[in-house]
Amino acid sequence: MAEVTQLIHQYLRHNKKFPLVFCPGCGHGIVLGSLVRGVHALGLDKDEVVVVAGIGCSGRIAAYVDFNTVHATHGRALTIATGIKMANPELTVIAVMGDGDAFSIGGNHLIHAARRNIGVTALVLNNFIYGMTGGQCSSTTPEGAYSHTSPMGQLEAAFDIVELTRAAGAAGVSRGTVFHVKALDGLVADALARPGFNLVEALTPCFTQYGRGNGFKNAVEMFKWLKDRAVPLEAYEKLEDKTGRIPIGTFVRRDVPGLEARYAAMREKLRERKGGAA
């Protein structure tokens, strides 16, 4: 049996709709593969993994993986993930969100999860648009880009997910694309293996809602755009002209304990002061 078939049987629920529910050319299925391969590479027990997903196209990932899963309300995936991690720090908790879900309606939760450095891995699928709910612009839609709510071009500047999360204090911040699959696999596995709040931004095309309105003839062109624009971080830093280029790789990697570990240490001190009482 081929390795990919083994992973499908081992990690995906068999009673779900296949092929995947995602539109043709969507990169979300590739991110799903990276998530599965990351868990497999680390040898994590499926019963010790929790995936909390928000609302939107990315939220459907939770329906496919054979882990403990929660399909949360819009923008609240990290609040639920935080509660799960604090209640049972031994679990590997992953929050899967779209760009709007994570940085628009859920933006306040994300910056505070990063500030607290809670031991959750945030996997943000950034396709620059609200895909499932009709193609509205999101907080990562590039300035000048077209959407159903910006038919004359987006007037607002977009968030840089990496810079915002780094400034908020996350222990780990990285960015990959669904074109550079092997690299994305490594970023996801590294984030899952490390303490504290680790965010992986995955750039993924949405031809249905974003591509067709912004000059792309098909989904293949969007993948070629990712190939041409994305540059490994070390090479990016050496470029004299960085216009139009997107750095990918690991931007922050700090080995600091998560909030759940600091909380456990404080609780232990209190027990010692009370003579071992709970």
Side-chain angles (χ1 to χ4, degrees):
M1 185 183 296
E3 181 181 1
V4 64
T5 305
Q6 292 177 355
L7 294 179
I8 288 172
H9 283 278
Q10 185 174 353
Y11 294 104
L12 300 186
R13 292 172 177 161
H14 303 160
N15 60 341
K16 296 300 177 182
K17 182 180 179 181
F18 289 95
L20 299 175
V21 70
F22 307 123
C23 298
C26 173
H28 284 20
I30 297 174
V31 181
L32 169 59
S34 289
L35 173 58
V36 166
R37 288 186 290 271
V39 168
H40 182 72
L42 296 174
L44 299 176
D45 184 341
K46 291 193 299 181
D47 292 335
E48 300 300 316
V49 176
V50 181
V51 172
V52 183
I55 298 299
C57 302
S58 63
R60 304 312 303 160
I61 285 179
Y64 284 102
V65 291
D66 189 22
F67 307 135
N68 303 290
T69 58
V70 180
H71 200 177
T73 50
H74 201 193
R76 305 299 182 259
L78 277 172
T79 61
I80 295 173
T82 294
I84 293 171
K85 187 66 176 182
M86 292 300 292
N88 191 346
E90 299 304 315
L91 295 173
T92 298
V93 183
I94 306 161
V96 179
M97 302 165 285
D99 48 286
D101 192 36
F103 282 87
S104 294
I105 189 170
N108 198 48
H109 297 299
L110 193 140
I111 61 174
H112 287 292
R115 176 183 66 84
R116 293 171 179 136
N117 197 33
I118 180 72
V120 171
T121 298
L123 187 55
V124 180
L125 285 66
N126 184 8
N127 55 14
F128 308 117
I129 199 92
Y130 278 100
M132 182 176 284
T133 57
Q136 307 95 322
C137 62
S138 81
S139 53
T140 64
T141 303
E143 187 172 354
Y146 298 98
S147 74
H148 288 172
T149 50
S150 56
M152 301 299 291
Q154 167 69 308
L155 299 178
E156 302 171 355
F159 274 143
D160 184 319
I161 289 179
V162 165
E163 294 301 326
L164 191 155
T165 311
R166 172 159 50 186
V173 183
S174 59
R175 175 192 289 134
T177 87
V178 294
F179 181 87
H180 305 84
V181 182
K182 290 295 185 181
L184 183 61
D185 290 357
L187 294 176
V188 172
D190 184 61
L192 291 173
R194 301 183 61 254
F197 185 79
N198 288 268
L199 179 140
V200 179
E201 176 190 6
L203 299 178
T204 169
C206 173
F207 178 70
T208 300
Q209 297 287 19
Y210 183 84
R212 290 189 296 190
N214 285 280
F216 292 96
K217 296 179 180 178
N218 50 50
V220 174
E221 281 196 356
M222 300 191 76
F223 276 86
K224 288 181 177 179
W225 184 89
L226 288 175
K227 177 185 176 182
D228 294 338
R229 297 299 182 93
V231 181
L233 182 57
E234 291 184 2
Y236 176 84
E237 291 175 342
K238 296 177 182 178
L239 292 175
E240 292 185 6
D241 183 6
K242 297 179 173 61
T243 305
R245 299 301 185 96
I246 304 171
I248 58 174
T250 299
F251 298 79
V252 178
R253 198 176 192 278
R254 298 186 296 120
D255 290 321
V256 290
L259 175 63
E260 70 285 353
R262 302 196 305 275
Y263 176 77
M266 179 189 69
R267 186 173 57 186
E268 188 60 32
K269 287 182 179 179
L270 291 174
R271 285 175 174 168
E272 291 174 358
R273 290 178 183 178
K274 293 181 179 181

